[in-house]
Structure formats: C-alpha cells, structure tokens
Amino acid sequence: MHAYAGKTLRVDLGRQHVHEEPLDTDAAQAFIGGRGLATKMIYDEVNPKVDPLGGANKLILATGPLTGTSAVCGSRFMAVTKGALTGAIACSNCGGNFGPELKFAGYDMIVLEGAAKKPVVIVIDDDQVEIRPAGKLWGKNVHETEDTLHEQLGGDFKCVSIGPAGEKLVRFANIMSDKNRAAGRSGVGAVMGSKKVKAIAVRGSGGVSAADPKAFRAACLDSLEKLKAGEVTGGGLPKFGTAVLVNVINEHGLFPTRNFQQGQFEAAEQISGETIAEKILVRNRSCMACPIGCGRVTAVKDGKYAGFGEGPEYETIWALGADCGVSDLAAATKANYICNELGFDTITAGGTIACAMELYEMGLITAKQVGCKLNFGNGAALVDLVTKIGYRRGFGDVLAEGGARVAQKFGRPDLFMGVKKQEFAAYDARGAFGMGLQYATSNRGACHVRGYMIAPEILGNPVKMDPLTVKGKAEMNIAFQNTVAALDSSGTCLFVTFSIGAPELAAMLKTATGFNYTVDKLLLAGERIWNLERMFNLQAGFTGKHDTLPKRMLREPMPAGPAKGKTVPLSKMLPEYYRLRGWDAQGRPTKQKLAALGLS
Amino acid sequence: MVKVLAIDHEKCTSCRLCELVCSERHGGAYRPARSHIRVAIYPEDAVYLPMMCMQCDDAPCIPVCPSGALVRDTQTNAVLVLEERCVGCRMCALACPFGAINYWDNKARKCDLCGGDPECIRFCTPQALRYEAVERFSHSARQAYADRLRDSLKEVTA
C-alpha cells in the first residue's frame, strides 16, 4: 500500500473500545481520501436527520494520500461530521503537524463513534491506542491542554484538542491543532465536545511511501517550483500572510463592513497585512511540508491587549475588525488569540458579534442585556464578548448559538449575514456575483473555500472574470467546487491552487498512490464528492430553497464604492448552476447524474 | 571545491520538508523518525532550529569507533558510516555533541550529504539550509548581519 497508511482507527466511545479496519481501496480510488472518503463513510453510516450533538452522529478526522509526503503543503486533515452550527454536512480542513503524524502512526483516519460518559483523551503511540480519563484537562484552554499533554507524554506527540468552547458546545467551536491551527468552521469542535473527547495525541515512527518514488519526487518538485515562482504563493502570502488581501478587497469595494452595511472600511489600512507585518509580526510559521509559510506568529508587546500567539489572518482580521467596525489592530488581535485559546471560529464569532452590534444600534438588543455598550467599533466589548462566548457566560451564552439564531431571537432574521446558518466570509457578494452563487450553493453553508471565486473575479487567477456580471459564473463555480473537493480529499492545501491546478495534482496523486488518476478522473471524483454531500444535505432536510442569500445581498444595493448600486442577481445564476450540475429545478441530483457518478 | 552545509535558522519556517525528503532519500519512505535532519521547534519562543551532523573537521565520532567504520569522504568532506564495518555499538552517538548520529536496524546512521547533492537543500524554500563553498560560508551570515545592522541604523537616523 502506497501513499495511504492502509488502516482506519475506529473508537467506540460509549463502550470504550477501539479497533482497526483495513482501508477500502475501491472507495479510496473513487473518493481519493480525506474529505471524500470520510463523507462517503458519514453518508453510509450516519442518518442525516440525527442531532449533530447526539451520540448517533460520528466525527471523522481524515488525512489524504498526500498527507505526510513531500507534496506541496501535504499536511492536511479534514474533520467531517454533521455540523453543529448548520445541521449540514461539515468538513473542516486543518494543517499543522497532526495529520502527517497520524499517518506515521499507521492510520489514514480516526472515526469517533458514540459518546463517552466522562471526558476522555485518546493517546495513539504507533499501534498502542488508549482511551484515558481527561481528568483535570477538561476545562483547560487549548494551549494549556497541549502543554500538559506534552509534559505528560513527551514533546514529540502531535495534538488536536477542544477548548472550553468545544466542551460547552458553542455551536461554532473548533478542533484546534498545534495550538493555533484550526479545523475552524461549522462547529466540528462542538461535535467533539458532545462526544466528550478533550484531545487526541499521536506519535508515529512509521512512514509513507510513494508508488513511483522517482516520478513522485519529480511531480513534487515541479509543483514546488511553481509555488516558489507564483506571485501569491511565493510573494504575497509569505511576506504578508493572507491579510495581504485587506487592501486588495477593500479597494475593490467588497470588504464587508459593519455587518455588510458597507463594502469599504475607512480604517482598512490600520488592519492590513502590511500593517500586521510592520507592527506585530514576529516570524512566519509553516504547516508541515509547506513552502509558503502564511502562518503569522505575532506579539502585541504592550498595552491592555498585550499577548503572544498566531494570527490574525485575513478572514479573522476582517471578522473581528471591519465587520465589527473595529480599527484597533491590538484589540482584534487579542480577540483572535482568545478565540484560538478557547477554541472557536473567528469568522462566525466576528459575524455573530457584528450582527448583534447592528441589532444593538437598532435598539433591539440593550446594553443591559449585553452587560456593556455594543456599538460598532467597540474593541473592548469585542474582547470581552469573545471571552464570554468561549465559556458561554452572560450574553456570550446567547452569542454562542451563532448569528442565525441570534438574529432570529431578536426578531430580525434577515440581519444574519450568511447561508444555511453559517456566516459569510470576508467578501461582500454584491461586489463579486460568482462568490454570491458560491455562498448560496456551498454544501457546508456560507463559505469561501468550497470554490474561491474571488480568485478569477478579483485576483484574475487563473483567468480574469468581470465580478459584476453573471456570465460564466455557474460553470466556473462548478469547476472550482469539483476541483477543491478533489484537492481537499488529497491532503494538500487550497492555497496551492494559486499556482498549480488539476494537472499537477493528478500527477502527484497518480505517482503517489499508483492509481491511474488523470485530470478527468480527478474532477469526476470531485463531482462525485460534491453530489454526495448534496445528497446528505437533502436527506437532512435541506432543499433548493436554502440555496439563497440574505435580503441585504439580494435587494439592498451596495451603498458606495466600485460596486455601488449592485445587488446579487442570484436568480440569474442559480437555475443555470442546477442545470450544469445535472440537477432538477429544485436542486436535486437526477437519477442519471447519480448513476453517471456511481452513486445510485 | 569543498562545500559545507550552512544553516540559517532565522529563515526556517518549521515546515519540516527537509525531514521528509531526507528520510525518503535514505530509506524510501517519508518518515521523519528516520531523518538525519530534525527541526527542533520551540513555538513559545518562535525559534526553529534545524539540527543535523556538522561534519566536524576534528570529528569526535571517528576516533571512538572501535571498528573503523566512520571515515571521511575526501570528495564531500562528509563523515560516512561504512555499514559493513559498523558493529552497532553506538559509541559514535555517545561521542557526538549534537546528537546527530542515529541508530536503527543495528547500524549507526548519519547524514552523508547525499554524496554531494543534499536532498534537504533542494526542497528548502526559505533557504534556511544552503550548500555552499567553504569560501562563501561566513559570507552569507556576515552579510545578513550587516543587513540587519544597516536596518537598525536606518531606524536610528530616520
């Protein structure tokens, strides 16, 4: 067996029992690994109607065949489950060192089943697997948890853990790894918390081999050279991190500001990647096998927000900055550190607080309810509230449900800025129509990384598309969604797609696995994965009606900037999208389509 | 011209590609546990240190070997382990101040500079590892330090 470790570890938490099973190589060929293979298992084994926080849900941490190899950015694992925030299929991608270490220990994936009665820690030392009581680790934050595990077990164990947010079932809790890396969307950490798994520590002495070592090495080097030469992967990202986008997106007028009331933030300069590099950057940090190194190790040296950690990256500095109208880099950075330590999603946290801020300014939420003023721009309230969210204290308990439920509770569901109960990322779709279609159709709720239409619409990568037209958007969206589904399943990082595409990915996968992957087969696998995710959601109760956007996107024209006067013409794109997908008018995959994909 | 492997730890991003490709080159699998280079990562101090054999000129591992298994490669200046002579006593590992000598499958194992074409260098994107002529060795470090000094002087005069 090449590229794959060849074994799956199943952990039955109710019975405190673990067992191994061999990798299904036919399924691996059809679904690649990672996101695809884990989704197939969830689809086969979990009733889509289950309570995501109940014992019948399962949580899979899945690596891909390129994880733990020299493939560019081959560090990723996916957390796949039914999402606590959305009730839809969730798959949340994480880098760092855990994924590769899991493979070195001999496992492609871990399946967590049932729920433990008392909190546990799972320790994997090659083929020695133990379920131990979590004891005093329960209640500790993510950093304390990893430090304690390293003291107890040894510094060479790689960890994933949940913080207080996961324990307390904050609906957008993360699974954290290497302290500051996150499987960060849809509430996969709340699912782990519901199973009472505090942490998984793994150490492996084994290795991963390629089917054709010489050809695989050549394919890796080819991609590596392209990443080094790429403007984004070899320039912008290493130099300024993802926050290099702040100025770019702001200039294009789609930098969502104050809960998407505006598309440009007057203080963008103060929270830009350039400013981060100048004021707080200590050094870059890479996930394993990554030549980019977009990770930002940062320090706020003095003042009331002094601290040390990683971030903010682009989506975070937007969510905790512009979306909340906060221009104080130190406050937003501190809020980021707290999110990481307590273990929850910065995007949904920022989006939820921004929504609450708008409700507050409208008088629908009072200072008495919150415990302080909650006006836009209030950095002190932001820092206070993220702490309260993490522990579900005071008003944080309300916010811990996410923006959709907050907006519903206070009588203005239309002020939730997201889709399928998950918040938008840092792009106002009125300034990039294809991104709007992407948000509406994403299988895990609003999301920028299912199909990053900003690349063609704003950055001109791989081709430049006019962001303010509908032409070609459905087709491009589908191509992106399928490619990324395949990429996420392979174990490498979305960021490689700034410099390489399906041909390079197919070359690495083919030579690593020995399976005869071609570009067509790879994209077909991506399409198969996308359709299976869709089937899960349809069976969970979602319909085409959920493929929509908030009223603000559809009917409130952008007030100013390059996209002034625009709304998202979703109804002009969605039918074409369904048709090109081979789905019926209600967005259901047809029998013929499912048969063609081998899913019937 | 003899080359040496130079480490500039300040450029390291802790990606560990060096560990992956070293182990593959020497053992046919991506397996950091069997890499001759290991990156010591101190996240709280933001310090990443690639650790490996320095190919010492007066190498303590060579004289302690009871079977004459450690020898100097005259082409690359690397210290090599002759597997057929190695008795697996691990005295060389004991003598090495850097912990750069490994041991598995009953033999001492160490960096051999890949015969003069180090695989780790090939994959090190930030150029924290360089393989350069002896004459250039201190040049890059000196230049890097001078650059930093220049920057701080600019700040003072600005």
Side-chain angles (χ1 to χ4, degrees):
Chain A
M1 172 91 38
H2 294 291
Y4 300 92
K7 285 184 301 187
T8 295
L9 182 69
R10 282 191 187 263
V11 181
D12 182 333
L13 292 156
R15 292 195 298 139
Q16 303 274 298
H17 173 78
V18 296
H19 75 275
E20 294 175 356
E21 63 186 29
L23 181 79
D24 175 345
T25 47
D26 289 340
Q29 283 205 54
F31 292 91
I32 305 173
R35 173 175 163 186
L37 201 51
T39 300
K40 160 99 172 111
M41 290 167 73
I42 290 285
Y43 186 83
D44 288 347
E45 299 176 21
V46 175
N47 180 342
K49 293 202 188 311
V50 298
D51 173 4
L53 297 176
N57 195 8
K58 296 188 184 186
L59 171 64
I60 305 182
L61 305 184
T63 66
L66 298 182
T67 310
T69 72
S70 65
V72 282
C73 308
S75 73
R76 319 297 289 190
F77 72 90
M78 302 285 297
V80 182
T81 187
K82 177 169 173 168
L85 182 68
T86 55
I89 189 83
C91 53
S92 209
N93 190 310
C94 184
N97 289 272
F98 178 84
E101 198 72 22
L102 183 63
K103 281 181 78 173
F104 302 146
Y107 302 106
D108 293 300
M109 44 179 104
I110 306 174
V111 185
L112 300 180
E113 307 178 342
K117 286 194 184 72
K118 286 187 174 167
V120 298
V121 170
I122 301 166
V123 179
I124 303 167
D125 195 359
D126 283 319
D127 55 2
Q128 301 296 308
V129 183
E130 261 187 80
I131 304 174
R132 300 183 184 177
K136 286 179 180 160
L137 278 178
W138 196 256
K140 284 189 193 292
N141 77 29
V142 168
H143 291 199
E144 293 162 350
T145 301
E146 281 208 22
D147 284 340
T148 307
L149 286 169
H150 284 147
E151 275 164 30
Q152 289 173 351
L153 302 168
D156 47 356
F157 275 81
K158 312 297 180 199
C159 305
V160 289
S161 67
I162 54 168
E167 296 175 12
K168 293 186 183 294
L169 311 181
V170 171
R171 281 197 187 266
F172 43 94
N174 294 346
I175 296 172
M176 303 295 295
S177 188
D178 282 359
K179 289 189 177 175
N180 297 301
R181 304 284 103 210
R185 295 222 75 188
S186 311
V188 294
V191 176
M192 187 155 148
S194 75
K195 302 197 171 302
K196 293 214 163 46
V197 177
K198 177 66 180 174
I200 305 173
V202 60
R203 178 170 66 179
S205 63
V208 181
S209 64
D212 183 343
K214 254 176 107 171
F216 179 64
R217 178 181 182 273
C220 290
L221 275 172
D222 174 55
S223 288
L224 180 69
E225 292 305 329
K226 285 171 179 162
L227 259 67
K228 278 156 81 168
E231 204 183 325
V232 178
T233 51
L237 283 176
K239 203 165 173 197
F240 298 120
T242 54
V244 68
L245 281 172
V246 169
N247 284 328
V248 178
I249 302 301
N250 195 54
E251 276 159 27
H252 282 82
L254 61 150
F255 193 52
T257 301
R258 297 182 188 86
N259 204 34
F260 291 72
Q261 293 184 82
Q262 296 97 30
Q264 287 182 314
F265 187 41
E266 66 285 351
E269 194 62 49
Q270 294 175 49
I271 57 168
S272 68
E274 291 81 345
T275 304
I276 288 169
E278 187 198 319
K279 302 229 173 191
I280 59 170
L281 180 65
V282 176
R283 72 184 299 177
N284 296 5
R285 181 153 191 210
S286 283
C287 297
M288 196 169 190
C290 168
I292 304 170
C294 73
R296 306 283 100 173
V297 178
T298 57
V300 176
K301 292 212 172 68
D302 39 39
K304 62 176 170 174
Y305 301 127
F308 173 82
E310 284 185 46
E313 58 140 356
Y314 172 66
E315 308 294 335
T316 298
I317 194 60
W318 158 75
L320 302 172
D323 202 29
C324 293
V326 171
S327 58
D328 181 350
L329 176 63
T333 302
K334 182 69 178 178
N336 184 176
Y337 293 163
I338 293 168
C339 292
N340 287 353
E341 287 160 18
L342 303 185
F344 57 97
D345 176 20
T346 55
I347 301 179
T348 285
T352 301
I353 292 171
C355 175
M357 283 175 164
E358 187 172 358
L359 291 163
Y360 172 85
E361 295 206 338
M362 296 170 78
L364 296 172
I365 293 178
T366 64
K368 201 176 159 213
Q369 285 170 311
V370 182
C372 66
K373 288 182 181 170
L374 194 56
N375 51 301
F376 281 111
N378 189 342
L382 171 78
V383 172
D384 182 43
L385 281 177
V386 288
T387 307
K388 286 181 172 156
I389 289 172
Y391 291 106
R392 274 192 182 267
R393 280 187 199 136
F395 196 65
D397 192 31
V398 175
L399 298 178
E401 292 292 298
R405 292 170 177 89
V406 168
Q408 179 79 39
K409 181 182 171 80
F410 293 99
R412 285 297 298 273
D414 58 304
L415 293 184
F416 158 63
M417 290 300 125
V419 178
K420 300 183 179 86
K421 295 196 173 73
Q422 178 158 288
E423 280 69 9
F424 287 136
Y427 316 90
D428 190 314
R430 289 171 293 183
F433 296 168
M435 199 65 200
L437 179 62
Q438 153 57 25
Y439 282 145
T441 57
S442 158
N443 285 329
R444 70 166 186 182
C447 168
H448 57 301
V449 292
R450 298 298 91 167
Y452 191 62
M453 289 298 288
I454 295 304
E457 293 189 290
I458 303 296
L459 307 176
N461 181 318
V463 292
K464 179 78 181 107
M465 295 180 99
D466 181 350
L468 302 177
T469 66
V470 299
K471 190 165 175 280
K473 296 297 166 65
E475 191 184 355
M476 184 61 96
N477 230 311
I478 291 166
F480 268 46
Q481 289 174 342
N482 292 349
T483 306
V484 171
L487 181 108
D488 281 344
S489 304
S490 76
T492 183
C493 173
L494 178 67
F495 285 173
V496 306
T497 58
F498 283 113
S499 297
I500 64 169
E504 289 85 354
L505 186 61
M508 287 191 287
L509 275 173
K510 178 181 171 175
T511 52
T513 62
F515 299 156
N516 189 25
Y517 284 114
T518 59
V519 169
D520 288 346
K521 278 192 189 170
L522 199 63
L523 295 181
L524 190 70
E527 188 183 4
R528 184 177 294 125
I529 295 161
W530 191 270
N531 277 270
L532 194 67
E533 291 173 340
R534 180 77 178 181
M535 292 302 289
F536 183 93
N537 284 352
L538 292 171
Q539 288 166 31
F542 288 89
T543 69
K545 288 199 180 94
H546 294 95
D547 299 338
T548 188
L549 297 170
K551 197 174 75 182
R552 180 163 284 164
M553 295 295 115
L554 299 175
R555 278 182 246 141
E556 280 180 35
M558 180 73 92
K564 186 178 175 178
K566 300 292 180 190
T567 54
V568 185
L570 184 64
S571 60
K572 292 199 179 115
M573 297 183 283
L574 197 58
E576 187 189 5
Y577 174 90
Y578 285 171
R579 185 173 54 77
L580 291 174
R581 274 263 173 233
W583 297 352
D584 69 16
Q586 278 76 49
R588 293 173 298 208
T590 58
K591 276 190 180 152
Q592 297 90 313
K593 176 51 79 179
L594 292 177
L597 294 171
L599 290 176
S600 43
Chain B
M1 193 187 299
V2 173
K3 289 181 165 183
V4 290
L5 211 151
I7 300 170
D8 187 349
H9 65 87
E10 292 193 350
K11 288 186 176 165
C12 178
T13 62
S14 77
C15 82
R16 304 172 65 206
L17 260 170
C18 51
E19 297 181 13
L20 290 163
V21 299
C22 173
S23 53
E24 204 283 334
R25 172 84 162 240
H26 291 93
Y30 298 97
R31 188 176 186 183
R34 292 197 169 183
S35 170
H36 297 313
I37 182 166
R38 300 296 292 271
V39 185
I41 303 172
Y42 299 87
E44 298 309 309
D45 306 302
V47 169
Y48 323 133
L49 300 171
M51 303 291 292
M52 62 191 305
C53 172
M54 306 311 290
Q55 318 293 352
C56 309
D57 286 324
D58 187 7
C61 55
I62 297 178
V64 299
C65 177
S67 57
L70 284 106
V71 297
R72 180 78 59 183
D73 182 327
T74 52
Q75 294 287 309
T76 63
N77 209 39
V79 176
L80 308 178
V81 179
L82 299 178
E83 214 177 300
E84 65 279 13
R85 285 195 203 161
C86 177
V87 296
C89 70
R90 303 182 298 286
M91 285 304 288
C92 50
L94 201 65
C96 175
F98 305 108
I101 300 199
N102 295 308
Y103 170 79
W104 57 71
D105 297 340
N106 308 106
K107 301 286 175 187
R109 315 275 171 180
K110 67 178 293 299
C111 168
D112 59 1
L113 292 173
C114 296
D117 179 22
E119 187 76 342
C120 52
I121 305 290
R122 185 74 188 83
F123 281 80
C124 183
T125 301
Q127 296 187 298
L129 305 172
R130 292 186 308 278
Y131 192 50
E132 54 193 14
V134 167
E135 288 73 14
R136 301 280 302 167
F137 175 68
S138 55
H139 176 80
S140 54
R142 186 165 61 237
Q143 189 64 49
Y145 182 73
D147 289 349
R148 281 206 301 279
L149 193 58
R150 186 261 325 259
D151 291 344
S152 57
L153 285 172
K154 261 167 67 182
E155 261 175 41
V156 172
T157 53

